[in-house]
Amino acid sequence: MSKTPSRRMILRGLLGGSAVAIGLPVLECFLNESGTALAGETSFPKRFGLFFWGNGTLPHLWTPEGVGQGDEWQLSEQLASLLPVKDRISVLTGFEVRVNNEIPHYSGAAGFLSGHAPLGEEGDNTFAAPSIDQVIAAEVGGQTLYRSIEFGAYPGGGLSYNGPNSVNPPESSPYLMFERLFGTGFVVPGDDPVIDPRLGLRRSVLDAVLDQTHELRARVGASDAARLDQHLSGIRDLELRLARMQENPANLESCALPSMPPSDDAIGTLSERHRLLVDLAVMSFACDQTRVWSDLFTHPVHNFVFPGTDAGQHQLTHDELDPQPMVNDTVKQAVDEFRYLVEALSAIPEGDATLLDHCAILATSDVSLGRVHALDEFPIITAGSCGGALKTGIHYRSETRESASSVMLSIVRAMGINAASFGGDDAMVTDGLSALET
Amino acid sequence: MNQLSFVLVLAVFAASCVPPEPPVEFEEPRLRRLTEQQYINSVQDVFGTEIFVPTDNEPDTRARGLLQVGASSAAISPRGVERFEAAAYTLAEQVMSDELRASVLDCALSGEVDDPCAADEIARLGRLLWRRPLTDTERATLEALASSSSAALGDPNEGFQFALAGLLQSPHFLYRVELGTEDTQGRWTRAFTEFELASRLSYLLWNSGPDTELLDAAEAGELSTEEGLDIQTERLLAATRGREGLVAWFADMMHLAKLDDLYKDPNVYLHMSDTLGSSAAGESERFFEHLAFEQEADLRDLMTSRTTFVNREMAALYEVRAPAREGYGMTELPADGARRGLLGQTSFLALEAHPVSTSPTLRGKFVREVLLCQTISPPLADIDTAIPPVTEEAPTLRERVAQHLSDAGCAGCHEPMDNIGLGFENFDGIGRYRTQENGAPIDASGLVDEDAFADPTELASLLRVHDDFAACLVKSFVRYGGGQGEEEAQLEGLDWLHSAFSARQHSLKGLLDEYLHSAFFSQAGELEPVGPQDTTEDDSDE
C-alpha cells in the first residue's frame, strides 16, 4: 500500500539531479513489493502459453482412437506429427463451447478463450471479458518485465483481451520481437545492467502522464473510464519495467541471448516466421521476462494460401469438396507448428526437468468443423504438466459434451490461481476437468 | 470567398424546401484515440514534414464500418503504451537535434530553472499538441521535467526532450478530448467548447490538429458563431491539407486501408503485385477528390462516373492508355465499356474477393452494408456452405452459387447479396475485365430489390438512385464526424440532414455546410463524469 507514495518520492528525489544514484538500493523496494527474487526460489515459476490456429479441424480426422493413458490411445490422422511428444500432451475431445454461435468464428474464439459470448456486430466485435492469458497474467504478470507477450505468424488479428475493446495486438516480426525482448537494455544473467540515468527520467515523465490520465479519468463517463483504466495499467507496467531494467537479472541457467533473427523480407514461409517467433518466446520464458504468452499461428477467418493448396484456407474450409484433402493438409501443418513449439520448450532444461514441465500450454482454434462453424467437438490439446498439476499423455473424451470452460478452469488453477469459476452464463463452470488434474 | 458565398446563397434557397432541423439527442461524448494517420499528421504539422514518425504503435480498429468510430471505443494496450512512449522519444530526439531544433523552437534553451524559453515553448507547443492552452499546473510539471532533466544530463537540449516526450505520450495528445460543457448560448443543454470545435473542424477537414490561427479563433470565441465558423471552414478547405480530411472519410468508408495488406495468389492473378493495393487505393482517392472537390458533383455520381485516375499499373489492368508517365493521370473510360464508377474499380473488386477467386457474396454484402447501410445477418451455424465444383453443366460461379439461392435456408440472406454481387462477375478477383469463366460466357445480370439489371453499368445506375444510397452517405458522414454510430434519437435528424443534402444537389460541400451548422457538429451529449478516484487504491492492483 505504501508503495506508490514511496515510489513517487524516489522519482522526485531523482529529479533533484542525483540521477547516477539510481541503483539497487533504490530498486529493492520494487523487488520487495513484487515478492520473490528468482535466485532465491526453490521451484521454477509456472508459465502459460496459448497456441492458436484459425478455422478449425476436420473432427472425424482429429479425434484419436481409444482413450486413457500411454498405449491405450493412438494419435489420429491430423495429430500424427505429435508422436514425438505424445507423452507430454493431453488431447481432450468431445467438448463444447457453450455460447450462442452468432458470429461465426468469433463466437467460438471468444466463447472458449474468455468464456463469454463476444460483444458487437459482425466485423467490429470485441471480447466481453479478458481472455484466459490475461486472466492468468493479472495474477502472475506483475512479477516479470512483461505482463504478457502476444505474437503471431500471420500478421494482424488479436485474441488476447484485457477486457472489452482492449486487445493486445500480436507482434508478427521476429526482428521487432527480438528488439523488444532482447535488444537495448537486455542483460544476460551474470552481467550487471548499465546504469542509465535516462531510465529514471523516463519514469518521472511517465509519472506525470499517470497523473494526467488520472485527472482526465475523473472527467469522463464510465465507459471511457474503463478505457483509461487499461491505459493506466499499461503506464504502470512500463514504469515498473523501466525500474526492473536496472536490476541484476535473476541467475537463470538456461537464459541466453538468442541470435538475431533475419529481417522480415528474408523470411520465406509462414512456418519459418512462426518458428523464429517461437524460439524467441521460449527464451522469454527461460529468461523469465514474462510468464504468459499467446501465439497466433493464424487467426480466425484467415485466408492464407498454404503451400500445396490452391485457395485461401478459409475459402477451402467452406468450398472444398469432401473429404477436404487440402483442409486436412492445412490442419496438419498447424499441428506440426504446435509440435515444434512443444519440442522447443522441452529442449530447455530447468533443474531436473524441462521448461515445458513448468508450463501449461493450450492449443486450440475458433471452430471445430470449419465448413459449418461448429462449436461442439472443439479442438483442445494441452501440453506440459505445469509443475505436476496437469496430467500428460492422455486422451480424454467427453461423452456428455462437457463445457470447454472446465478445461480453462483447470488450467487457471494449475497456474496456482485460486479461481472459483471460469466464464459466464451458459459457459460458466465452477468445476475444473478432474480427468486433466492430477 | 466566392465558393462560400455561393454555398450560402444556395443554403438560403434550399431552406425554403427543407423542413426545419428537428431536435436530436446524442450519446455520451467519448474520447477519440488518434488514428494512425491523425497521429502522423498531428506530429508533422507541429514539427515539420521532415520528421520521421514511428507508426504501428497501436492498430486502428473498426466499428460501425469506420475506423473513426472504432477510435471512440479502442483502448491503448500495454504494448501500445510502450510503443507510444518509444515513439515520443524518437520524435523528441529528432526535434532537439542540431538539424531540426532551430526550425521548431523560437528561442535558445538555457536549461536553468525558470528558463523563459522552456516555459514559452512548452506553452506554445503544448497548445498545438493538446489542442488547447495548458493549465498552470500542467505547464509547471513539464517545466520541472525539462529543468531537472537538463540538470541531470548536463544539457538543456537533451533535457527538453523529456518535456516534449511528456507532451507526446500524454492522453491529452493521444486522445481527442471533446467532452462538451453547458451550452452558454442556450441552444441545447450541452455543447462542445470552442477549443473542442476547433479540433472537430480540423480533424474533419484536415485529418490533423488545429493550427495556431484556428486555436486563436477558438480562444476569441469565434467558432460558435456562424460567421466565424464559415471563415475558418473556408480557410481550412483552401489550405494544402484542405481536402485531406474528407478524402480520409471516403477512404475510411470504402475500407481502403485494407488495401495495404491486399493478398492474392500470384499464380492465379498474373497482374498481382506488391504495389497493386496502393495503386488501387490511390485511384479511388483521386477519383473521389476530383468528383467531390474539383467537379463539386452530385456524390451519387460516384456510382456512375467514367472519369477516373490511373497510374501505369492501373492503366495496364484496365487496358487503357496510361495518361501519365509517373503518378496518376485523368482518363475517361470507354463509354460502351462495362467499367464505370467506384464499383468498377479494383479497390472494391479486389478487396471484396478471395485470394484465388471472386466472391459475389462478399461484393453484394459490401454494397448492402457499406453503400446502402443495410444489415445482413451473419450465416447461421450448422449450415453447409460448400460451393459445388466446376463442371460442364456448371462452368461459371453463377451456376455454382445457384444452390445458395435455391435452398430456402440460404436464400433469405444470400439473394439480396448474391443478386447484386453476380453483377460484378465481369471483373475477376483483382478487377480485370473478363467475358468468360472456364470457357463459358459470363452472365452478369441480377436484381437490386425488385429492379432487374443486365450488366454492371445498369447496376451502377440503379444504385445511384437507390433511396438508401444518399441516406447512407449522410449516415457515414455523421458517424465519421462524430465518431459514433447513430442511435434512435438521431434518426429524425439524419432524415432532415438527408433532405438538406438532397436540396444541395447532393454535393459534398453542401453536406459539409449543412452538417457544420447543425446540432450534429456542435451539440454534445449528456455526460456523467465518474469523478476522482482514490489513487492509492488504484495503484495497488498491480
Side-chain angles (χ1 to χ4, degrees):
Chain A
M1 275 298 177
S2 63
K3 182 183 68 179
T4 301
S6 68
R7 184 173 61 194
R8 295 233 163 96
M9 275 162 54
I10 292 161
L11 294 169
R12 297 210 167 110
L14 250 180
L15 282 176
S18 57
V20 186
I22 187 165
L24 288 177
V26 170
L27 291 159
E28 267 165 14
C29 65
F30 291 94
L31 268 184
N32 293 345
E33 182 67 28
S34 61
T36 46
L38 278 167
E41 276 187 16
T42 49
S43 62
F44 287 89
K46 291 182 168 186
R47 289 84 154 200
F48 172 78
L50 171 70
F51 173 82
F52 186 96
W53 75 99
N55 304 336
T57 65
L58 296 171
H60 70 288
L61 299 178
W62 175 269
T63 307
E65 283 283 321
V67 294
Q69 188 88 32
D71 293 339
E72 294 170 357
W73 64 286
Q74 288 79 45
L75 289 160
S76 60
E77 156 76 12
Q78 295 194 322
L79 299 179
S81 74
L82 296 177
L83 189 60
V85 296
K86 188 184 171 210
D87 59 334
R88 281 162 267 169
I89 61 166
S90 288
V91 179
L92 310 171
T93 64
F95 287 82
E96 178 179 50
V97 174
R98 292 189 185 161
V99 295
N100 278 341
N101 197 3
E102 281 176 6
I103 306 162
H105 297 280
Y106 204 76
S107 293
F112 186 43
L113 295 176
S114 75
H116 291 260
L119 303 174
E121 295 157 28
E122 192 193 10
D124 46 82
N125 319 111
T126 171
F127 281 27
S131 48
I132 182 170
D133 56 312
Q134 293 307 318
V135 169
I136 293 168
E139 298 293 327
V140 307
Q143 316 201 7
T144 51
L145 274 185
Y146 295 90
R147 174 187 294 260
S148 65
I149 298 287
E150 294 75 32
F151 60 98
Y154 190 81
L159 291 174
S160 169
Y161 276 82
N162 307 303
N165 295 306
S166 182
V167 67
N168 297 303
E171 181 62 73
S172 59
S173 160
Y175 174 77
L176 289 179
M177 183 155 153
F178 175 88
E179 276 297 305
R180 184 181 189 204
L181 294 172
F182 302 104
T184 317
F186 176 73
V187 184
V188 183
D191 286 2
D192 291 328
V194 177
I195 299 301
D196 180 357
R198 287 170 178 277
L199 292 179
L201 298 173
R202 282 167 63 191
R203 278 161 53 208
S204 52
V205 172
L206 284 174
D207 222 37
V209 175
L210 202 62
D211 287 345
Q212 289 160 10
T213 312
H214 274 298
E215 175 273 332
L216 179 59
R217 188 189 183 280
R219 290 161 45 208
V220 300
S223 42
D224 275 347
R227 293 163 79 192
L228 290 179
D229 284 341
Q230 296 297 344
H231 193 160
L232 284 163
S233 138
I235 297 170
R236 285 191 298 263
D237 277 4
L238 182 54
E239 274 201 318
L240 206 55
R241 186 175 323 139
L242 294 178
R244 291 211 170 114
M245 283 173 77
Q246 299 279 255
E247 291 171 10
N248 285 308
N251 194 14
L252 295 159
E253 282 174 25
S254 299
C255 174
L257 181 66
S259 57
M260 170 106 78
S263 65
D264 287 293
D265 48 14
I267 300 171
T269 65
L270 195 69
S271 171
E272 188 184 345
R273 177 181 299 276
H274 180 247
R275 292 174 187 201
L276 287 164
L277 291 166
V278 166
D279 289 347
L280 295 170
V282 166
M283 198 45 78
S284 77
F285 273 176
C287 296
D288 205 36
Q289 283 164 302
T290 189
R291 294 179 186 176
V292 176
W293 44 241
S294 57
D295 169 11
L296 273 63
F297 173 55
T298 55
H299 39 82
V301 208
H302 81 88
N303 223 350
F304 180 67
V305 183
F306 275 94
T309 68
D310 67 8
Q313 207 263 348
H314 177 235
Q315 192 184 0
L316 279 179
T317 61
H318 287 297
D319 294 350
E320 193 189 8
L321 286 186
D322 275 333
Q324 298 205 318
M326 286 188 281
V327 171
N328 183 32
D329 186 50
T330 60
V331 174
K332 287 160 72 175
Q333 290 188 46
V335 169
D336 197 46
E337 294 304 313
F338 178 58
R339 175 200 52 81
Y340 180 86
L341 184 157
V342 174
E343 289 192 328
L345 288 166
S346 307
I348 304 278
E350 272 193 346
D352 300 335
T354 71
L355 174 55
L356 179 70
D357 296 318
H358 304 129
C359 290
I361 306 294
L362 170 68
T364 191
S365 188
D366 47 285
V367 289
S368 54
L369 181 60
R371 178 185 279 181
V372 298
H373 306 128
L375 298 188
D376 59 350
E377 295 293 343
F378 213 74
I380 306 171
I381 307 178
T382 63
S385 69
C386 202
L390 297 176
K391 283 183 190 159
T392 57
I394 63 166
H395 171 217
Y396 172 80
R397 179 156 183 83
S398 173
E399 298 299 343
T400 55
R401 286 163 65 126
E402 283 163 84
S403 171
S405 297
S406 63
V407 179
M408 297 308 218
L409 187 55
S410 290
I411 289 173
V412 171
R413 287 176 176 165
M415 287 295 297
I417 298 164
N418 186 16
S421 65
F422 187 88
D425 301 320
D426 291 347
M428 189 178 100
V429 296
T430 51
D431 291 320
L433 177 64
S434 53
L436 179 63
E437 295 166 2
T438 50
Chain B
M1 198 68 187
N2 51 355
Q3 268 178 2
L4 188 75
S5 320
F6 175 67
V7 161
L8 290 175
V9 169
L10 267 182
V12 172
F13 172 77
S16 56
C17 46
V18 175
E21 184 182 352
V24 286
E25 292 294 327
F26 294 97
E27 299 294 294
E28 186 169 81
R30 300 289 296 265
L31 300 173
R32 296 161 78 171
R33 198 176 79 194
L34 296 187
T35 62
E36 176 162 290
Q37 193 60 52
Q38 289 172 348
Y39 178 86
I40 295 169
N41 291 350
S42 302
V43 164
Q44 292 195 331
D45 281 357
V46 177
F47 299 121
T49 48
E50 312 92 277
I51 201 162
F52 162 75
V53 185
T55 52
D56 291 327
N57 297 312
E58 188 80 330
D60 293 332
T61 60
R62 204 173 282 280
R64 302 301 286 266
L66 296 176
L67 299 173
Q68 196 52 252
V69 178
S72 298
S73 55
I76 294 182
S77 68
R79 191 190 74 154
V81 170
E82 182 183 325
R83 292 213 176 177
F84 280 124
E85 197 237 12
Y89 286 99
T90 303
L91 293 168
E93 205 173 303
Q94 292 177 79
V95 170
M96 297 313 294
S97 68
D98 292 342
E99 293 76 39
L100 270 188
R101 191 169 64 241
S103 66
V104 177
L105 298 193
D106 291 342
C107 50
L109 297 159
S110 74
E112 281 159 26
V113 179
D114 299 331
D115 177 2
C117 176
D120 289 351
E121 289 302 296
I122 284 166
R124 184 178 68 84
L125 296 171
R127 183 175 184 255
L128 285 168
L129 290 168
W130 292 7
R131 309 172 276 269
R132 60 167 175 81
L134 273 54
T135 65
D136 292 347
T137 321
E138 287 165 346
R139 279 190 289 110
T141 305
L142 290 159
E143 285 169 27
L145 279 174
S147 66
S148 54
S149 304
S150 298
L153 299 170
D155 182 327
N157 293 323
E158 276 188 58
F160 196 70
Q161 289 178 21
F162 291 84
L164 282 179
L167 285 169
L168 286 165
Q169 56 183 305
S170 169
H172 298 296
F173 175 65
L174 298 178
Y175 302 101
R176 293 167 54 184
V177 182
E178 297 161 16
L179 300 173
T181 185
E182 193 185 330
D183 183 17
T184 50
Q185 303 191 13
R187 297 163 296 179
W188 312 294
T189 315
R190 302 184 81 251
F192 291 108
T193 68
E194 283 280 338
F195 287 108
E196 290 168 352
L197 290 175
S199 272
R200 288 170 78 79
L201 189 65
S202 72
Y203 281 102
L204 180 64
L205 297 183
W206 283 354
N207 210 23
S208 185
D211 63 356
T212 302
E213 200 174 331
L214 185 55
L215 291 168
D216 289 348
E219 197 148 353
E222 291 167 11
L223 298 182
S224 50
T225 71
E226 203 158 308
E227 193 197 356
L229 182 61
D230 284 339
I231 290 171
Q232 290 301 322
T233 301
E234 194 184 359
R235 184 179 72 83
L236 264 61
L237 284 172
T240 319
R241 277 204 200 283
R243 298 170 176 178
E244 211 167 299
L246 295 177
V247 172
W249 159 55
F250 167 77
D252 196 356
M253 177 172 65
M254 292 300 293
H255 301 190
L256 297 186
K258 291 183 186 169
L259 285 162
D260 287 347
D261 305 317
L262 186 65
Y263 174 67
K264 298 287 169 182
D265 188 337
N267 298 316
V268 175
Y269 297 113
L270 303 179
H271 282 72
M272 182 58 196
S273 75
D274 287 349
T275 53
L276 184 66
S278 63
S279 287
E283 178 202 1
S284 294
E285 288 180 351
R286 193 70 195 85
F287 167 80
F288 173 79
E289 184 186 343
H290 176 74
L291 191 133
F293 286 94
E294 286 151 25
Q295 297 190 306
E296 299 194 21
D298 187 322
L299 285 189
R300 298 175 307 163
D301 293 349
L302 288 168
M303 289 298 108
T304 48
S305 172
R306 289 193 189 270
T307 309
T308 191
F309 292 79
V310 291
N311 60 9
R312 290 170 73 96
E313 182 166 34
M314 297 315 297
L317 193 76
Y318 292 174
E319 299 177 90
V320 297
R321 276 185 52 180
R325 191 172 288 275
E326 290 197 17
Y328 291 85
M330 187 160 80
T331 192
E332 201 64 23
L333 296 170
D336 57 352
R339 189 188 304 279
R340 66 167 174 166
L342 192 53
L343 302 183
Q345 297 179 2
T346 287
S347 58
F348 158 74
L349 294 166
L351 273 183
E352 304 307 321
H354 293 302
V356 297
S357 68
T358 63
S359 172
T361 302
L362 289 178
R363 287 171 176 178
K365 182 168 184 275
F366 185 90
V367 169
R368 290 279 175 198
E369 292 188 333
V370 174
L371 299 178
L372 303 178
C373 292
Q374 298 171 346
T375 312
I376 306 263
S377 313
L380 300 170
D382 302 330
I383 283 192
D384 191 333
T385 53
I387 294 181
V390 175
T391 59
E392 251 172 63
E393 297 75 47
T396 72
L397 200 51
R398 171 179 293 272
E399 286 109 17
R400 292 163 58 210
V401 300
Q403 184 191 317
H404 289 154
L405 304 181
S406 63
D407 180 330
C410 302
C413 291
H414 267 278
E415 265 181 8
M417 295 186 287
D418 295 0
N419 280 337
I420 289 178
L422 285 166
F424 302 107
E425 274 299 287
N426 282 130
F427 302 104
D428 72 10
I430 58 169
R432 240 176 106 75
Y433 181 67
R434 59 181 188 171
T435 55
Q436 294 196 331
E437 185 187 4
N438 300 314
I442 287 171
D443 170 6
S445 65
L447 276 176
V448 181
D449 306 330
E450 306 300 312
D451 299 319
F453 61 85
D455 57 37
T457 61
E458 286 187 21
L459 169 57
S461 300
L462 287 177
L463 291 174
R464 183 187 182 281
V465 297
H466 196 292
D467 285 342
D468 290 351
F469 178 45
C472 187
L473 287 171
V474 171
K475 264 185 204 165
S476 174
F477 192 91
V478 167
R479 288 175 187 172
Y480 186 84
Q484 298 197 353
E486 67 280 355
E487 303 291 335
E488 192 69 32
Q490 294 123 42
L491 294 185
E492 209 185 322
L494 284 167
D495 283 345
W496 165 81
L497 190 56
H498 179 197
S499 54
F501 176 47
S502 304
R504 304 288 291 265
Q505 285 73 46
H506 297 107
S507 75
L508 178 64
K509 291 209 170 152
L511 176 57
L512 173 68
D513 187 49
E514 298 292 345
Y515 171 82
L516 290 177
H517 292 106
S518 74
F520 286 105
F521 180 66
S522 306
Q523 183 185 344
E526 292 292 326
L527 176 68
E528 219 174 293
V530 294
Q533 178 187 40
D534 181 353
T535 55
T536 46
E537 184 196 335
D538 175 68
D539 267 16
S540 68
D541 63 14
E542 279 168 0

